Amino acid sequence: MFGRIFRRVQNVIATGEDVDEAVWTGTYQTVDTNGKQEAKKETGSHWYGTAKDPRRLKEGHLPGAKAMHPKVLAVQKDGVFYIGNKAHALDAYKKAGIDPAKPVIWYCNTGHLAAAPWFVQKYIIGMEDGKNRVYSGSMADYTRWPKRKLVKGDE
């Protein structure tokens, strides 16, 4: 039983080593779900490296990453947000430069924002496990290794 559960989780969760491989080889697209929003005076922007988050040892994003905040996958109707349909999701992917057919690792600061697009990719777009993964530790984990490089802005 536990072997089956472990294989299932292994196909959904990406590790720091999986992310390193994705950055080095390009076998997976990496998508920063913190988004690329403009820096705000109070909070800054992780994409541009101006935010300060105590869970991260350094700021920025993975080299080659795309950026898409999960809110673009939602549709507002009567003051309530709903997950959009497949056409809506594909349009959001296109705007962010994400190829819906290519394997992807979603990340954010700790993994919570990355779960929403993972859900859309699996249940709305229809990508199988193993090609659609969440980096559960995300940048809080990734930045703990000092030799891992991050970039800021559109570098």
Side-chain angles (χ1 to χ4, degrees):
M1 177 177 138
F2 290 113
R4 232 182 18 204
I5 293 169
F6 179 74
R7 281 190 301 279
R8 173 84 172 128
V9 170
Q10 198 174 21
N11 283 332
V12 173
I13 303 296
T15 65
E17 292 78 14
D18 295 328
V19 174
D20 284 337
E21 183 178 339
V23 169
W24 297 332
T25 66
T27 52
Y28 280 79
Q29 323 172 72
T30 56
V31 181
D32 186 337
T33 60
N34 287 308
K36 199 177 186 178
Q37 60 266 44
E38 293 298 318
K40 296 177 184 169
K41 187 176 181 181
E42 316 83 53
T43 60
S45 165
H46 294 293
W47 184 265
Y48 293 103
T50 58
K52 301 296 178 221
D53 187 323
R55 298 169 294 188
R56 297 168 66 132
L57 298 182
K58 54 188 169 183
E59 292 297 331
H61 60 87
L62 297 173
K66 310 284 191 232
M68 183 182 76
H69 196 280
K71 69 182 177 186
V72 302
L73 296 170
V75 176
Q76 185 177 12
K77 181 179 178 185
D78 300 325
V80 177
F81 287 92
Y82 299 91
I83 293 175
N85 60 24
K86 187 173 183 177
H88 179 81
L90 291 172
D91 184 54
Y93 283 23
K94 183 177 180 181
K95 289 176 183 173
I98 300 166
D99 182 346
K102 186 175 178 188
V104 61
I105 295 175
W106 307 94
Y107 73 93
C108 56
N109 286 333
T110 59
H112 69 283
L113 282 176
W118 174 87
F119 179 90
V120 169
Q121 183 76 354
K122 176 163 179 69
Y123 294 105
I124 307 295
I125 304 293
M127 182 175 274
E128 64 207 56
D129 290 344
K131 294 183 179 181
N132 177 35
R133 299 168 80 186
V134 174
Y135 182 19
S136 65
S138 286
M139 298 309 282
D141 176 64
Y142 197 81
T143 61
R144 301 225 180 276
W145 297 87
K147 293 186 179 183
R148 287 178 167 158
K149 181 184 176 192
L150 296 181
V151 295
K152 296 178 182 180
D154 296 325
E155 297 178 32

